[in-house]
Amino acid sequence: MSAVTQVAPVGARLRLPKVPPLTALAGVFLVVVAACALFPGFAPQDPAAINAAESLQGPSGAHPLGTDQLGRDTLSRLVAGARTSLLGPLVLGLGVTAISTVLAVAAGWFGGRTDAVISRIIDFFYSVPALLVAIVVAGVTGGGFGITLVVLIIFGLPMHVRNLRAAVMERAHLPFMEAAVTLGLPTWRVVLTHLVPTIVPNVVAVFFVTFTYGVVELSSLSFLGLGVPPGAPDWGRMVADNRAAVFTDVWAVAAPAVAIVLLAVSANLIGEHVQRTHEQSRKER
Amino acid sequence: MSQVTEAVPTAGLSTDALSVWLRRADGRRLIAESIDLQVAPGESIAIVGESGSGKSVTARAVLDLLPPELVTEGDVSVGGVPFLRIGRAARHRMRGSEIAFVMQDPFTMLNPVMKVGDQVTAALRDANGRPLSRAARRAEAVARLREVGITDPAVADKYPFQLSGGMRQRVGIAAAIAENPQVLVADEPTTALDVTTQRDVLLLLDRLRRTHELGLVLITHDLRVAFATCDRVYVMYAGQIVEVARSDVIRRAPRHPYTAALLAADPPLDHRMARLRTIPGSVPAPGHRPGGCHFAPRCAFALPACSAAPVELQLTDDDADHRVRCVRAGEITLEPPTAQPGPEPAAALTTDGQPLVTVRDVRKVFRDKVAVDGVDIDVFAGESVGLVGESGSGKTTLARMIVGLTRPTSGTVEVGGVELTAGALSKEQWAAVRGTVQMAFQDPYSTLNPTRTIGSTLREGLRLAGVDDLEERTAELLERVGLPATYAQRRPGQLSGGERQRVAIARALSRSPRIVVCDEVVSALDVSVQAHILNLLRDLQADLGLTYVFITHDLAVVRQITDRVYVLNHGKVVESGLTSEVLDRPRHDYTRRLVASVPQADGVLGLPEPR
Amino acid sequence: ACGSPGGGGSSEGLPKDLKVLVEATQPVFDQWQGGVATQGVMLLVNEPLVRYDGSGFQPNLATTFEQASPTRYVFTLRDGVTFSDGSPVTVDDVRFTFEQAMRDDHLSTTHVVMRSIATVTTDGSSIALDLKAPQPLLLYTIARTGIVSKAFYEQHGEKVGTPAVGQLGSGPYVLDSFEPDKSMRVVKRPDYWGDPAPFESITFTIVPDDSARMLALQSGSANAIFEIPTGQINSIQALKDFRLSKIADATVFILQMDVTKPPFDEPAVRDAVRHAINRQAVVDAALAGHGQVARALSPQSNLELVASAEAVEQTLARIDELNTYDPDLARRLLASSSVPAGFTLKLPLDSTDADTSLVAQTIAQDLAEVGIDVELDPRGDDYIDVTLARRHDGLTLNKFSTNAPDPAMPLGYFVPAKSRINLTQQDNPAAQQAFDESNTLPVGDPKRGERLLAAVEAYHRGGAALPLVNPDMTFGLKAPMTINGFTNYWWMQRWDRLVEVGG
Amino acid sequence: MTVATAPQGSARRALAPGLLRYVVVRVVSAVCVMFAVSIVVFLFIHAAPGGPEHAIGGELATEEQLESIRQRYGFDRPLPEQYLQFLGGILHGDFGESIIQKTPVATLIGETVKVTLPLLAFTWILAMGAGLALGILTASRPGSRLDRFSLGMTTLGASTPAFVVGTFLAWLFGVQLGWFPALGAGEGGLDTVRHLVLPAATAAIVLLAVTTRITRVRVGQILEEDQATFARARGLGRWWTLKHVVLRNAGVQLVTLSGSVVVSLFTGLILVERVFNLPGIGSLMVDAIHDRDMPVIQGVTFCVALLVVTVNLVVDLVCMAIDPRLRARLETNR
Ligand SMILES: Nc1ncnc2c1ncn2[C@@H]1O[C@H](COP(=O)(O)OP(=O)(O)OP(=O)(O)O)[C@@H](O)[C@H]1O
Ligand SMILES: Nc1ncnc2c1ncn2[C@@H]1O[C@H](COP(=O)(O)OP(=O)(O)OP(=O)(O)O)[C@@H](O)[C@H]1O
Ligand SMILES: [Mg+2]
Ligand SMILES: [Mg+2]
Ligand code: NI
């Protein structure tokens, strides 16, 4: 049988994915932010050093991005703030991604009653404005950042559980899943080694979407005074703290605001890239 | 090819050197090469060829319905109008009124959320060019539906999902010809339908062709359908027309080796072949087509000269209409696929002794849908049992119950001595069942996990079967299904459909089962590839003593591969027995209808149109 | 509402309408719920018997007033004054007004003072107040109690002061509209008995957000801004046509250490904290220079009202000694305590106040220098709960505004060991005794001033509190308007008449 | 090869039993949710630190004052009794009286709704209208310059916190260019519309990314489907395709999307109302939380929940109305 001798392009697998320049830049930015978060020592000056004589200055040699109300160096605070600015969205992103994956797999794979229960709960949470709940909860219980984060995670779940569940259901009855069952693989192996890998691109996309959402939402909470403590070098907080000066000394507000937008845009671009390549490979099969 | 000759104002459709290119960043690729088609009013032509040969692209190019990345060259004349040269808007007006199009899937073609009556009449205008009134629309819809054989006026108020596949395709045709076009291009209009429905739709098209003086372009991969319905046949291969002739000429005296090979690979309905003819290799993708004769690498008659220069479509000596694209057309003689005596169907069937699978009175109800309704089935070791029936008759459901993927609503299923329906099975019992029966599926594209290599897919089964020397056995398995051992490193994306089906069969074999349930494993494949797989399955049965439960809706395939057959209709077994008995002397009405519906190669659609 | 930028202008060049931006006001137009900005408008609608003008008391609705004895005050009501609905202002209305705040179940911020009134007796046009005990703050309280109409209250009950019912008074302005947390607007009363109103209307618009306030000023929808948060002063200064005037504020930021909570039960630790903080730096950084170092819990100017400048200065100098900035000393003190390596604590903050957060950040920086790590814990509306219920680590930062320029005011809150607001929890017998003695003496008695000074000094000698800064109170007016003669207690004055057109 | 034979029932004009049942179940479940909400909301006041009387009386309240509050508000009575009274009030549209403002909560909500509802509607129209238009335009020209540009801009919009967008728009169009008023709610009529332009644009920009993208994806899918090609092959016009193929098929998704836009709008509103100093329901809520004005918090929460539940109910029913497949599924599901 010579039918088989035609050689398929083996190199296809090794071809590096083509990354648009903007997405590559976004990746670089994320790496830089992550590096700052891991090594706050990068800060050129002490981010907490108050210097009344230099408050609200524009960019200069000593302070490339100017100073804030208390005369602290904005660049140093941006570097120091990378940690909290990254941490909140990261926790949110990981939390939502992990929980929604588990729920979606449970609902989509096992179906039946499990699915019904999960779907009903999700439907309920879907129809509630998250930030409003976060504010009410924080207001009524006097709770802090942690509670707010939990609320945001809970209310961030529904959309993603729905989408992932649909993806799981789409794949759960594909012949290769059923073949794995018929081969006699235990259920957990089928789920872990066959089902989950096929939805990895979706899961990654969920992470980036939630991360972006987290960046924007958490900075909004800081703006409403519900986020991290005042004076902490968190980007959202820096914007909120220096807003009084927004029309006169724009740097202290603009620098962290731009950092937030860049972070969100970067995550967005990368998430989109993941989704697009995934879509393409699906189209090409 | 710059023929600036004004197209002669003729009725019907003609194309002149119509080519389609794929535009890509790295240059352009030829997909369809210089196609010349001629369809006179009232005439029907067929375009046949294997998957990927460019049939659909040609059809869409004719209507200017290609996606933006595909560009056309050449001319199309519809009713004497140079279709591709007039303005966009004029072309748009001509679509539907002069030239119409029907697609393969009758479900996706129709708007699911619009009543069919409204869809049929959407393009209609009254004498003043205004949209019709509500009442007029409805009357018109009923009339048009009656034309395509739908006499129930209530259908006009239904949504597509409330109709059967055949009805939907009729609605699609009614909508397409609502404005009385001259030409109808139908791209595989019956491929998604059952044989019985397919016959109805073909009869309908044939009738409309006569009554409406319609020029019909029928695209199909089924030679039988082409011969049964069409006056002339264009055989297409790798973007080229390789042979054109009247249907009966092509069927009896093909002059191109490719046509002959296709005919030979098509399994006959009336007897069993010792071995099906196959065509080596596969259709080259655009951009990978060899120079000279595209078929040369797969051709038994190829000479070095074949690949030297592009081959033109030439007239043959035997007929004025018969043209062929082969340099050796004059010298070689192709034997027509005459009837050869097949081997006797396994004479002494071992239908005694202990059956491997016993199915007793099983029912399966999905919500309010009875899929399987009290079926008894036995499968004995070493035999090949067929399950046939039209779509929705419960074949797949039954198969899934046999392998334990679906739990019956009631009744018992026993596999290798283990009763699947008896409460919760122990781990060992499941292991025994899995080791006894394995399954292969229809769709070659989703049958393998795209994220894993072929090797790891196969090793998974081997490991479960308790095999130690995994690498060695993987290679052995691949070889057994006719693939080189190096394929273990590949991913499914790098394999063709036929190769994937081979791997799927190898995966089933990895657990060394005694029974393999094959659910339409060849339905999605071209005849040539189908022949490969059928031959493979037969070899495996002979070598390994396998038992098959073989599901298909294709009676010719059933004849080739099964010893015994169960005919299912609406979830019930209506007839069973030796395959030859059942096919040659069907007793049940339904079976008779099924057999009669297979397009007969005589060029006549046999029976009168059913009322 | 945006409207046209303050235009028109009366003959003197003042705009017809004064449009004032403020950060917050009270949600009810009612003097008993306190709130400076609201009071500033309230007292233009409901006049008090006497007015405090920043240095003394002037007759207003009362033509005369006298303190007949330490426990008896007598007022004569002005004749022929009417409420804006035409009904006369009677002694019954006055008595009704006072008796409201005297009720134990009444939610009144002046109740603390008013409950010392035993009886209100009226006779013709005179009103006599008899006190249970001498109360030095009484006249101040009366000066910020606008007389309300008894009939109006009887008709509308609890609804008075809400948008639906409004308020009825006899002052130079009439309440036109009141939308809680949004705006209040008063319009000129043409038939006012006294000095006529210079503005046709005064609108207070509440804009809580920092940048929204800047937008409002820039887009011309306001021509005045009162009580600018210090953080925003510089930004407003940068606006072309706004003129700022500032007054040393009677507000004090004070750091209090709970002596019942370790390690603040050790004097050495408390001393270390006090010496660790550079208060001048707090003024410079957190207040951007708009303020002064607070030398005692009562502002210097208030102390000078009761005692000679010399005596005050001597006392304050002694208190300064206790609180000098000396980080080395602080470190040594800490090293000698039970927490030589320093410690960590959470400092609850009123997150709604921008200045507080800046002050806290600055002192946290100083404390970190000596080894005390302070984690800021912003609390929303439950800040007060946290502090009063003592759910904190022993250190609290409070912003305290006196609403009467008498040192007795903060002392009364902070000295008594059982006072709920005494966040130090310290029993300070010396301070208590001096304060008690001062209360037996009539206002104006130099002896009283001396006792008060002694009480203040004793309080600080306790060492559990560190007065930090007095932020400036700043007003901005669109040119050509200027303010002339505003005091810390502007809201008790006829402040509308102090707005002038100046060069 | 999966051609299912569909049930061959007669065309249903009247409400089919399955549909009727669905509507009833859906309405009943919405009512149940509102009951659950009412319980949660009722408990708010008791969750306040220091108990409800402290929430009302403030921290400095004396024991006498607290006692009088307890009596007046009935906190001394058993919880179920209090709840029933609370529920009875709600059913009559009575959420009690604001502790701080001494005004019926219903009145306060009524007043703020006058600001918020136009803003909500305006934003909704902007976000949905622009999203739909952009989505459809870009879907029909995938990969075009317009497509990439709109993707970039909407991404940027979605990545920027509303308070940054709002401040920027107010500064640019309100202060620098003076095209629109930068603050406040206006005096009704056209003035209100002018005042709402910037806030609505702010809230809409943030949502635009979502609406555009979802529309684009769904419309793109539909345009790739056979039915769109078939419509083209029949010479049916662009508008016909848009109306009957694209919009009808995307109907369910778009209706669902427009519903979730309303829900997520509340998030944006709180921020936008603050940036533009609008006395709307979001400000009322934030102030109430600040003042611990429990009846107001309860009333606003309940009303928002009611609106959200109603919107979701309407969305579900509209989906049923526009998609015959959903209706059919009800009949077979029994
Ligand atoms: N839009 C496209 N972009 C790139 N390649 C295309 C496109 N459309 C078709 N092709 C390629 O053109 C070739 C011909 O495709 P076409 O769909 O016409 O085949 P066909 O003969 O209709 O096959 P089938 O029987 O499977 O329908 C195939 O190789 C296909 O991959
Ligand atoms: N999981 C399911 N849920 C609901 N209905 C189902 C399900 N699986 C099958 N059915 C229904 O049961 C009937 C029998 O289906 P089955 O797939 O067994 O038919 P088939 O003979 O294999 O048809 P085909 O030739 O189309 O593959 C069909 O009407 C189908 O719609
Ligand atoms: Mg095709
Ligand atoms: Mg099937
Ligand atoms: Ni087929």
Side-chain angles (χ1 to χ4, degrees), chain A residues 162-187:
Chain A
R162 275 190 188 184
N163 291 343
L164 287 181
R165 173 177 165 273
V168 169
M169 300 243 279
E170 198 184 304
R171 290 159 178 78
H173 295 291
L174 284 181
F176 70 80
M177 295 289 174
E178 305 210 312
V181 174
T182 333
L183 271 186
L185 279 183
T187 307

Side-chain angles (χ1 to χ4, degrees), chain B residues 362-412:
Chain B
V362 294
R363 272 170 65 82
K364 179 66 197 179
V365 184
F366 293 108
R367 296 208 178 93
D368 54 357
K369 168 95 195 158
V370 184
V372 173
D373 192 1
V375 166
D376 296 334
I377 279 181
D378 292 300
V379 181
F380 295 92
E383 67 169 346
S384 170
V385 174
L387 296 179
V388 299
E390 45 184 47
S391 190
S393 55
K395 306 183 293 291
T396 299
T397 309
L398 190 54
R400 292 169 59 90
M401 290 193 288
I402 292 175
V403 296
L405 275 177
T406 299
R407 254 189 112 76
T409 312
S410 66
T412 59

